[in-house]
Amino acid sequence: MEAVLVFGLIFLARGYRHPVHDLTLLGIRPYILLTALCLALSLPGISTVPPTDRDEARFMQATKQMLETGDMVNIRFQDEPRTKKPVGIHWLQYASVKLLSEEQLNTAWMYRVPSVISYWLAVICVFLLGCKLFNGAHGRRAGLIAASLTACTLLTIVEAHLAKTDATLLLTVVLAHMGLAQFYLATPVCRPRISAFFLLWGGIGGGVLIKGPVIVAIVLATALALSAADKNFRWLRITRPLIGLLFAIAFILPWTIAASMSGDGNVILTSLAEDFFPKLISPSEGHGAFPGTHLLLSPITLWPASLIILPGLVLAWQQRHTPAIRFALAWAGATWLMFELVPTKLPHYILPIVPALALATAGAISNSTAKAARWGAVLWTIVTVLLVGGTLWASATYTGSITITVVFAACLLSILYVLWSHKADKLLLVPVTAIVSSAMLLGGILPNLTDLALSPRLATVIAQHRHSSQTPVVLTQFQEPSAVFLLGTNTIITRVDSAADQLTNMPDALAVISNSQRDLMTEALFANQRELVPLDSIAGYNYSKGRSETLLIIRSTGLAVP
């Protein structure tokens, strides 16, 4: 079966030697193709990849508490207010779980559905934006290429699988730029439609409700870059900025007032003070890096679409005087520069730039066969080989499924063979690579890296010893948010000495301690006239802290009378 898959892939990729045929551009066919592509890339692993630490699990747990309490205004992780991010994504996740199943609140995939839908809609909107920017048959072809490249980057595929804000932010950024593009390309003869106003300012308002003011910085950077390059700021007046700002503020104002009245204070000011501005001043939570980091990581974050995007941008720069390409380059360049200068850096920060890179590339290459420059193909090959080696090592180290990893490696190596044989259309090679990678890496390999799945294994073991789902569980050293999500909101996080008191006061309670804390816990329980009763243990690797863990599941009992 594995051999058939590998040779079938080679035959498929080598069989298509020409660009996407014009028939694929007619009617609703681009929408069907893009929808099928998004489903093939986003569904594998959506239900089998366990909750990830730490951001995703925090978002899911906060939404879970909204479902448990019915409070849709205040964002909480257990008893701690979460005011760093607005409420928008929690409302979307709340609606998703409500519609799918309220009885399975610990099921991660239901919280991920908004990210999958946002990813799909963002890809469709990139196609529409490409059609608008480049006009006619050329526009539909450029839009289809840009949308496909957007869908096929490692960054967008990963974010589509996570219950976080970023995939939905991507959608709002694309919507806002759909409106901004209409204003920028407007002429006295061809005035922008009223929809441009609602797309621009509605996108900004929705983005602020999802992730705060970052979308304002992105859109403003694009507008200022275009104005500076053209030496013309007058076109910004037709965006109706004053009315637009009021319209955007209306998206977040009701929740802001309700949250402030409930006792959390001014959530917007708190978010700016605790999350947005600190990231601009110094590295936040240890996520600092030097300027240029995003550029160095781009062959990986944009893989496999980097085969087309990186060389394509060189061609796009040569055509920068074309208004549509100029718009895409301003969006990409200004925002990229902004994120490179910000001290805090995480790989997903450049996600809102991916559509701009794809549009600039598609506009530049859509009139001719896409050919990857040799230097780009060499760079792409290095990243692919590293990915093959990394997955083989991870599967061997963290007890993954070696069989499917070997098949995955064989498929990617066969794709490299096709690439260097120069007999396949690179525009087809990118989605084929992405589909194979998503299916095997996210659908087969990651869910089987059992040593990394400490929280799911812990929840399974504890379920065997709990009297009921309400039996308290005390965590000491292993305090990851995914454990709280899977074990329940009533999970207690504390120190060893306090954990001993909890076990003394609640005889049915369970505790999870590290193996190194066993003696300390024994002494603390002895002081309370109790003794430690070991029930089970698990071992694995805590990737959030970068260390191996051996966890003991214990309860306490009274000291035996001699």
Side-chain angles (χ1 to χ4, degrees), residues 99-110:
L99 290 172
L100 294 169
S101 175
E102 280 191 82
E103 298 177 358
Q104 303 290 330
L105 295 184
N106 291 354
T107 305
W109 72 266
M110 294 190 298

Side-chain angles (χ1 to χ4, degrees), residues 71-91:
D71 183 356
M72 295 180 63
V73 173
N74 297 293
I75 309 170
R76 296 275 191 275
F77 182 88
Q78 294 190 300
D79 294 328
E80 177 186 354
R82 279 180 55 81
T83 54
K84 289 186 176 182
K85 296 292 186 291
V87 76
I89 194 64
H90 297 290
W91 285 350

Side-chain angles (χ1 to χ4, degrees), residues 51-86:
T52 58
D53 287 307
R54 296 188 171 104
D55 283 352
E56 183 189 36
R58 285 171 177 158
F59 278 110
M60 292 193 297
Q61 175 60 28
T63 302
K64 178 183 172 184
Q65 290 181 214
M66 284 186 173
L67 289 156
E68 291 172 339
T69 63
D71 183 356
M72 295 180 63
V73 173
N74 297 293
I75 309 170
R76 296 275 191 275
F77 182 88
Q78 294 190 300
D79 294 328
E80 177 186 354
R82 279 180 55 81
T83 54
K84 289 186 176 182
K85 296 292 186 291

Side-chain angles (χ1 to χ4, degrees), residues 23 49 71 152 171 231 246 273 285 326 332 356 382 405 423 426 438 469 513 521:
L23 289 177
V49 173
D71 183 356
C152 291
L171 172 60
K231 298 180 181 178
L246 294 176
E285 300 177 356
R326 194 177 186 82
I382 293 171
T405 307
K423 294 181 180 179
K426 305 308 181 291
S438 178
S469 60
I513 63 173
M521 176 62 82

Side-chain angles (χ1 to χ4, degrees), residues 73-394:
V73 173
N74 297 293
I75 309 170
R76 296 275 191 275
F77 182 88
Q78 294 190 300
D79 294 328
E80 177 186 354
R82 279 180 55 81
T83 54
K84 289 186 176 182
K85 296 292 186 291
V87 76
I89 194 64
H90 297 290
W91 285 350
L92 294 177
Q93 292 174 358
Y94 182 100
S96 174
V97 178
K98 274 279 190 181
L99 290 172
L100 294 169
S101 175
E102 280 191 82
E103 298 177 358
Q104 303 290 330
L105 295 184
N106 291 354
T107 305
W109 72 266
M110 294 190 298
Y111 299 83
R112 293 168 173 164
V113 168
S115 292
V116 173
I117 295 175
S118 296
Y119 162 73
W120 166 63
L121 289 176
V123 169
I124 296 296
C125 287
V126 170
F127 170 70
L128 294 173
L129 179 53
C131 294
K132 187 69 177 179
L133 285 173
F134 299 103
N135 296 324
H138 172 45
R140 287 180 74 84
R141 178 172 168 74
L144 183 58
I145 294 173
S148 300
L149 293 176
T150 300
C152 291
T153 72
L154 184 62
L155 199 54
T156 51
I157 295 169
V158 168
E159 290 302 331
H161 284 76
L162 298 178
K164 295 166 49 190
T165 56
D166 297 284
T168 308
L169 175 67
L170 175 65
L171 172 60
T172 61
V173 168
V174 175
L175 289 173
H177 281 82
M178 288 175 72
L180 188 65
Q182 291 189 49
F183 286 114
Y184 177 69
L185 299 176
T187 64
V189 177
C190 181
R191 303 289 295 176
R193 298 178 180 178
I194 188 63
S195 60
F197 174 86
F198 291 107
L199 284 169
L200 172 59
W201 296 107
I204 291 174
V208 172
L209 188 61
I210 292 295
K211 201 170 180 175
V214 63
I215 189 173
V216 178
I218 293 170
V219 176
L220 185 61
T222 303
L224 292 179
L226 287 168
S227 300
D230 294 345
K231 298 180 181 178
N232 176 20
F233 289 82
R234 288 175 294 179
W235 68 277
L236 294 175
R237 296 177 184 174
I238 63 174
T239 65
R240 301 177 184 176
L242 182 58
I243 300 174
L245 283 173
L246 294 176
F247 181 71
I249 290 171
F251 278 75
I252 199 167
L253 190 61
W255 170 72
T256 304
I257 295 173
S260 300
M261 292 178 63
S262 67
D264 280 345
N266 191 313
V267 291
I268 295 298
L269 293 179
T270 303
S271 175
L272 290 173
E274 295 182 1
D275 185 59
F276 186 73
F277 289 131
K279 289 179 179 179
L280 301 180
I281 299 171
S282 61
S284 176
E285 300 177 356
H287 297 145
F290 55 86
T293 298
H294 291 303
L295 181 62
L296 290 176
L297 291 177
S298 61
I300 301 172
T301 53
L302 300 178
W303 185 91
S306 54
L307 178 65
I308 302 297
I309 290 178
L310 296 182
L313 287 175
V314 176
L315 186 59
W317 181 253
Q318 297 170 1
Q319 303 176 35
R320 62 188 179 275
H321 298 296
T322 304
I325 293 179
R326 194 177 186 82
F327 177 84
L329 288 175
W331 174 2
T335 308
W336 195 300
L337 178 62
M338 177 178 66
F339 285 132
E340 291 287 15
L341 294 177
V342 170
T344 304
K345 290 182 177 63
L346 286 169
H348 65 265
Y349 280 10
I350 65 164
L351 182 65
I353 306 171
V354 172
L357 300 174
L359 286 164
T361 299
I365 70 174
S366 60
N367 279 326
S368 60
T369 302
K371 295 181 179 180
R374 191 170 185 84
W375 64 266
V378 169
L379 194 60
W380 194 83
T381 301
I382 293 171
V383 173
T384 305
V385 170
L386 290 175
L387 185 59
V388 168
T391 51
L392 287 169
W393 172 83

